[in-house]
Amino acid sequence: MTFSRIGLLQNRHRGQRCFIVCNGPSLNRMDLEHLRLETCIGLNKIFLGFEKFRLFPQYYVAVNDKVIAQSAAQIKALNCVKFLSQRGARHLIQEDALTYILNTDSPPERFVEDLSLGAHEGWTVTYVALQVAFFLGFEQVIIIGMDHRFSSTGSPNATAIMDGPDRDHFVQNYFGFGQSWDIPDLERSEESYRLANQRFDDYGRHILDATIDGACTIFRKCDYNCLF
């Protein structure tokens, strides 16, 4: 049997709940103090909100090559368990005690249950985070900050330059003021979310969406303030 370092993480949170903290502007309307006693998975440039929100996730996920290239130094400095895409981390970030590089170039299926085999990017980092949460064994996953709407227009997946302030994330310099980013593909993201929702349901596990005024209709909605 081949030893898998990442395999030691499988089901370490069996039966527990976690929060996936997305990066939409709705985070600015939430009291994240509640999350200090919860297990959280932060995404992409969530570190830009550490001081503001006093939020320090135990896990971190990034897959987009532009996000990782723009943030390599900050990602390396994170003192939490990190899951990065092979595509994005290539030549920039290597595996270490806290860092796991996932095969996202050739995943075996659309929803990968065993991260030692890889993960499917699914056109959104949130989908990878759902595969991470499944692998870690969480029974209930609660998503916040997934506004699922963007003011910027353009062809899905096309690279664009955001000249002014970023109004689609919780801080204006997230992608703003001259940074490049990929126009979201909401239709394919929703396809991925449906797959994740079904896979969790198949195992008697659940995904809830506690985003304030979130536009995504795939997951069952819940009131964030009633969760504590």
Side-chain angles (χ1 to χ4, degrees), residues 14-222:
R14 185 189 296 273
Q16 301 175 22
R17 77 173 182 180
C18 74
F19 287 77
I20 292 179
V21 185
C22 301
N23 296 170
S26 64
L27 285 186
N28 295 317
R29 302 166 57 191
M30 304 183 74
D31 179 6
L32 301 188
E33 292 279 337
H34 295 302
L35 300 184
R36 289 191 177 184
L37 299 178
E38 301 287 342
T39 303
C40 297
I41 302 174
L43 310 181
N44 285 350
K45 297 186 181 181
I46 188 62
F47 49 80
L48 295 176
F50 283 178
E51 183 174 346
K52 176 179 182 178
F53 299 129
R54 304 299 297 168
L55 172 71
F56 304 98
Q58 292 85 349
Y59 297 97
Y60 170 84
V61 181
V63 296
N64 183 270
D65 55 346
K66 295 178 180 61
V67 168
I68 294 175
Q70 293 164 3
S71 312
Q74 294 96 322
I75 293 171
K76 289 178 181 178
L78 292 175
N79 187 27
C80 65
V81 176
K82 294 164 275 191
F83 299 94
L84 309 176
S85 71
Q86 186 178 40
R87 175 176 67 92
R90 190 177 287 118
H91 308 309
L92 291 173
I93 301 176
Q94 305 298 318
E95 282 205 342
D96 58 30
L98 291 175
T99 307
Y100 296 86
I101 306 300
L102 303 178
N103 166 30
T104 56
D105 292 337
S106 55
E109 57 179 326
R110 276 293 300 271
F111 187 94
V112 184
E113 298 181 12
D114 183 354
L115 293 185
S116 69
L117 303 176
H120 197 290
E121 293 191 19
W123 294 273
T124 167
V125 65
T126 307
Y127 185 62
V128 180
L130 286 168
Q131 292 166 85
V132 168
F134 186 95
F135 178 76
L136 294 174
F138 289 105
E139 181 175 331
Q140 184 182 74
V141 179
I142 302 156
I143 301 172
I144 62 172
M146 186 176 69
D147 293 40
H148 202 64
R149 62 169 66 87
F150 295 87
S151 59
S152 301
T153 58
S155 300
N157 305 303
T159 297
I161 303 294
M162 192 176 293
D163 292 325
D166 185 342
R167 306 192 186 284
D168 295 322
H169 296 88
F170 63 86
V171 288
Q172 293 185 350
N173 63 336
Y174 192 98
F175 282 125
F177 310 111
Q179 297 181 79
S180 62
W181 73 308
D182 293 331
I183 302 294
D185 190 333
L186 296 183
E187 182 176 347
R188 282 183 163 175
S189 295
E190 290 183 358
E191 290 178 5
S192 298
Y193 293 154
R194 290 188 184 94
L195 287 172
N197 205 33
Q198 184 60 58
R199 189 63 60 91
F200 270 77
D201 282 349
D202 289 344
Y203 284 84
R205 297 154 74 175
H206 308 287
I207 303 171
L208 302 176
D209 183 1
T211 301
I212 295 178
D213 297 330
C216 182
T217 60
I218 306 301
F219 306 113
R220 184 159 65 90
K221 301 287 187 179
C222 67

